[in-house]
Amino acid sequence: MDFKASLCAALSNASGLPCDQIEGMLETPPNPEIGDFALPCFKLAKVMKKAPAAIAAELYEKLGSIEGFSKIEPVGGYLNFFTDRSSFAKTVIERVLREGDKFGSSDEGAGRNVCVEYSSINIAKPFGIHHITTTVLGHSLKRIYDHLGFKTVSINHLGDWGTQFGKMIVAYNRWGDREKIENGDSMRELVALYVKFHEEAEKEPSLNDEARAAFHRIEMHEPADWELFQWFKEVTLKDVARVYDLLGVDFDSYNGESFYEDKMPAIIKELADKGVSKIDNGMTIVDLSEYDMPPCIILKSDGSTIYATRDIAAAKYRKETYDFYKSLYVVAYQQNLHFRQFFKVLELMGYEWAKDCVHVNFGMISMEDTTFSTRKGNAIYLEDVLNTAIDKTLAIIEEKSPNLDNKAEVARQVGVGALVFSVLYNNRIKDYTFSWDKSLNFDGETGPYAQYTYARSCSVLRKAADAGVSLDFTAADIDFAVLSDEASGNLLRAIDTLPEAIVQASEKYEPYIISRKVIEMCSCFNKFYYDNRIMDDDPAVRNARLALTEAARTAIKVGLFLVGLEAPERM
Ligand code: ARG
């Protein structure tokens, strides 16, 4: 039953206005006591040439009854509509049971590709806590777009080019220990070499010349240096794979900055040929003063390319390779200017698809906990934070559920989930201070709370099955009318609005819209669970409540998945 469609058809009949116009006028009242839909009649005043209250009265007369609705109420200038509780319950539950894990999915994106670039770590630099937001936000957006039928391409645009790799070569050749790097914490060993280079170069400035020469050899693909450079990448990627595995994150492409090196000459030529770039003080730049921005530098005076040049090449490559409908860049707001600049350059090059490139920016994260301090200039490694989250969660589980079977596995799912959920619970642009107490609170608006509620719904169904009740609801005798109580109604409405939350999250690039919906569904489920006796003696009542439990379980799982959380069945 499509309530809105039925309502629009009836209203269109009564008013003579087209359905889609009516649909645009309908509102959802702030609270279901007032109604499930409302028509503010002042919006019709112009066409019907009457006062809103008179319009409400007239339409009320003409409407009579509407299929799927139990009551219509004219109140002042409004017409309020109440869906029939039991057909609403039936509609929602049947849809969720039919769609299962695909609940809320659509084919909106069919035939369209979306590039989602996220994480984009730097080789031989720490994979720090500051990288968590791009990593989990991008991963969630990828899942959301996949759910809506788009074909996504996830890209880790590695920071793997630049003079620092010359420094790494010099440092490695002098002080490096292959064994130690390969068998230990590779990334930390490489970072330590990089730090040592800078200390030593203070005393021995000629090291910098050596580093420049070494980077030049990389640019020339001199075999020994090129191999070392590739090896730095290889060991770093092997190391970070542990973090990606913990988070359940993966990528279709690891084409980073170095991948575009051989595509630079063509871009530089194109910019010159199209008259977009010019030479200024020995540099090649794109003047953006007309757009109130500093110039975008294409080539430095020594002829080397920079970050922006490689981004221009990468954007073009992505368009040519993936023919994207949208290309998202999940990168911190510190780079706002950079993105505005190079998107503008793409536009000046005549690429109308520049408008489809979106900088999905986000605020900074800091840690409340002092055991992770950056005061000494040390980076906070994301892997350490994740492992701490898992350890802390394990301690909580040991206390709460000492008899749980696979504690270590659940601690991983819940510990990691706590961190991810807390990052994705707020508007992305806000700066955010992470707190262990808040994130790991099983009773707060947290990942653990949502996962715990999910496990509870599983347990209700498990117990029913153990008691010999069939969970095949297609054939069951179900009395949907018993789901007219307030708690059940609120739960049904929360579930019913998940699909539109998913669409909104995709339009605004804001997974928090889904996380909040998950919490709403969970608190409604818990209220329903406490208010109602699910295993009622009357089979039709029991089946209705079990079917609603199954619908809630499914919807919560879908929501958790879309923000990147696993859903443990026992906790
Ligand atoms: N590697 C960069 C960093 O860690 C982020 C890269 C962002 N993406 C891009 N296409 N510029 O700061």
Side-chain angles (χ1 to χ4, degrees):
M1 165 96 237
D2 187 340
F3 296 95
K4 207 168 195 177
S6 155
L7 177 58
C8 290
L11 278 169
S12 162
N13 243 329
S15 66
L17 289 174
C19 252
D20 51 344
Q21 203 173 333
I22 294 283
E23 191 175 344
M25 295 177 181
L26 286 176
E27 289 176 358
T28 308
N31 131 28
E33 315 266 285
I34 302 171
D36 300 295
F37 298 95
L39 180 70
C41 297
F42 70 86
K43 294 192 176 172
L44 291 158
K46 262 215 178 111
V47 259
M48 295 185 65
K49 301 200 172 55
K50 270 188 198 164
I55 296 172
E58 181 186 329
L59 289 177
Y60 177 72
E61 280 303 309
K62 283 193 182 159
L63 280 167
S65 69
I66 307 175
E67 200 202 338
F69 288 81
S70 56
K71 191 167 80 172
I72 308 172
E73 217 174 45
V75 181
Y78 280 81
L79 262 184
N80 296 331
F81 304 90
F82 297 80
T83 49
D84 171 55
R85 293 284 170 248
S86 102
S87 51
F88 178 65
K90 184 171 189 293
T91 303
V92 175
I93 291 174
E94 284 180 351
R95 172 173 178 194
V96 183
L97 299 187
R98 191 174 59 241
E99 296 184 5
D101 287 348
K102 296 217 158 15
F103 177 52
S105 69
S106 72
D107 53 9
E108 181 196 329
R112 292 175 180 161
N113 300 340
V114 172
C115 292
V116 192
E117 186 211 292
Y118 54 100
S119 207
S120 300
I121 54 162
N122 301 316
I123 299 301
K125 295 247 183 79
F127 187 3
I129 180 75
H130 55 282
H131 272 98
I132 192 172
T133 314
T134 168
T135 307
V136 304
L137 178 58
H139 178 55
S140 169
L141 290 173
K142 171 190 151 63
R143 285 191 172 176
I144 293 169
Y145 275 90
D146 277 336
H147 203 67
L148 295 176
F150 293 88
K151 189 174 169 338
T152 59
V153 184
S154 51
I155 303 170
N156 196 332
H157 184 74
L158 300 176
D160 60 358
W161 199 245
T163 47
Q164 72 268 30
F165 292 100
K167 295 176 184 173
M168 285 303 301
I169 297 252
V170 172
Y172 176 77
N173 284 338
R174 292 211 172 194
W175 313 293
D177 177 342
R178 194 167 188 115
E179 278 283 276
K180 222 167 141 191
I181 297 174
E182 272 180 347
N183 302 326
D185 274 334
S186 317
M187 178 179 268
R188 274 173 227 250
E189 294 294 336
L190 292 178
V191 172
L193 276 179
Y194 190 64
V195 172
K196 185 161 171 81
F197 177 91
H198 284 271
E199 285 165 7
E200 297 293 324
E202 292 261 307
K203 296 177 247 162
E204 199 185 331
S206 65
L207 282 177
N208 287 312
D209 302 325
E210 280 182 39
R212 258 188 297 277
F215 182 59
H216 188 64
R217 292 196 304 274
I218 299 179
E219 283 181 302
M220 297 290 118
H221 291 225
E222 294 277 351
D225 302 278
W226 184 256
E227 265 161 40
L228 264 186
F229 166 65
Q230 292 298 336
W231 177 71
F232 293 150
K233 252 165 88 165
E234 205 179 287
V235 292
T236 303
L237 287 178
K238 218 177 102 209
D239 214 30
V240 297
R242 287 197 304 274
V243 172
Y244 289 142
D245 282 349
L246 279 177
L247 291 167
V249 167
D250 52 17
F251 300 92
D252 299 315
S253 162
Y254 283 87
N255 286 342
E257 296 188 42
S258 70
F259 178 79
Y260 299 99
E261 206 37 34
D262 64 355
K263 298 166 184 61
M264 294 290 101
I267 290 288
I268 291 156
K269 181 168 184 307
E270 184 183 343
L271 281 162
D273 289 352
K274 289 183 170 167
V276 176
S277 63
K278 63 174 192 187
I279 310 287
D280 184 272
N281 271 323
M283 292 189 294
T284 304
I285 65 160
V286 177
D287 183 2
L288 298 173
S289 55
E290 210 183 304
Y291 310 99
D292 286 326
M293 286 187 271
C296 182
I297 299 171
I298 303 296
L299 283 177
K300 291 194 289 193
S301 41
D302 65 3
S304 54
T305 59
I306 64 159
Y307 186 54
T309 331
R310 291 187 283 278
D311 257 327
I312 295 166
K316 198 178 163 196
Y317 175 84
R318 287 175 196 172
K319 184 66 194 178
E320 282 166 0
T321 311
Y322 307 115
D323 189 24
F324 58 71
Y325 159 75
K326 263 185 196 175
S327 183
L328 313 184
Y329 296 81
V330 185
V331 181
Y333 68 60
Q334 279 85 348
Q335 297 195 32
N336 279 359
L337 177 62
H338 165 72
F339 282 96
R340 278 178 50 223
Q341 284 179 306
F342 97 79
F343 290 170
K344 182 53 87 179
V345 174
L346 291 171
E347 194 187 308
L348 295 173
M349 290 168 89
Y351 293 125
E352 55 82 30
W353 49 262
K355 65 173 188 344
D356 305 324
C357 295
V358 185
H359 177 201
V360 178
N361 55 4
F362 56 82
M364 268 176 348
I365 182 164
S366 51
M367 304 271 303
E368 202 180 71
D369 185 352
T370 47
T371 55
F372 287 103
S373 153
T374 37
R375 254 175 305 155
K376 289 183 236 99
N378 296 330
I380 301 175
Y381 281 79
L382 180 51
E383 185 173 21
D384 293 346
V385 179
L386 286 168
N387 285 328
T388 304
I390 296 170
D391 291 346
K392 283 180 187 278
T393 307
L394 186 58
I396 298 174
I397 293 178
E398 293 283 5
E399 206 183 292
K400 272 186 167 265
S401 327
N403 299 322
L404 189 69
D405 270 344
N406 46 347
K407 288 193 201 112
E409 170 70 357
V410 175
R412 183 189 61 76
Q413 297 173 313
V414 177
V416 171
L419 207 61
V420 172
F421 201 83
S422 70
V423 173
L424 298 181
Y425 199 60
N426 290 297
N427 193 311
R428 62 185 152 80
I429 204 68
K430 274 205 208 152
D431 287 343
Y432 168 66
T433 304
F434 176 78
S435 144
W436 289 110
D437 288 345
K438 280 190 203 134
S439 311
L440 290 176
N441 183 350
F442 279 50
D443 298 315
E445 297 174 8
T446 62
Y449 168 77
Q451 287 167 318
Y452 192 77
T453 307
Y454 175 77
R456 165 174 286 156
S457 68
C458 292
S459 142
V460 168
L461 296 162
R462 212 162 37 230
K463 280 185 190 142
D466 288 349
V469 175
S470 160
L471 298 179
D472 175 8
F473 300 107
T474 44
D477 174 20
I478 301 180
D479 179 5
F480 288 102
V482 301
L483 303 177
S484 318
D485 64 292
E486 194 186 330
S488 307
N490 288 341
L491 175 56
L492 284 160
R493 257 187 303 278
I495 296 171
D496 183 49
T497 44
L498 177 66
E500 64 196 55
I502 298 171
V503 171
Q504 264 189 41
S506 79
E507 286 168 355
K508 298 187 173 146
Y509 316 109
E510 286 284 21
Y512 90 91
I513 297 173
I514 297 174
S515 333
R516 302 226 162 202
K517 186 56 73 182
V518 167
I519 293 298
E520 184 191 335
M521 291 190 291
C522 289
S523 65
C524 287
F525 175 75
N526 286 321
K527 183 88 174 63
F528 158 78
Y529 172 84
Y530 287 116
D531 275 13
N532 292 291
R533 193 174 124 77
I534 296 180
M535 292 302 277
D536 198 272
D537 298 332
D538 178 346
V541 172
R542 185 192 64 210
N543 287 340
R545 294 188 178 143
L546 282 173
L548 177 52
T549 302
E550 171 62 12
R553 184 195 71 78
T554 304
I556 293 169
K557 186 175 182 203
V558 167
L560 285 173
F561 176 80
L562 292 178
V563 291
L565 267 72
E566 289 183 44
E569 292 181 4
R570 292 169 201 258
M571 261 174 85

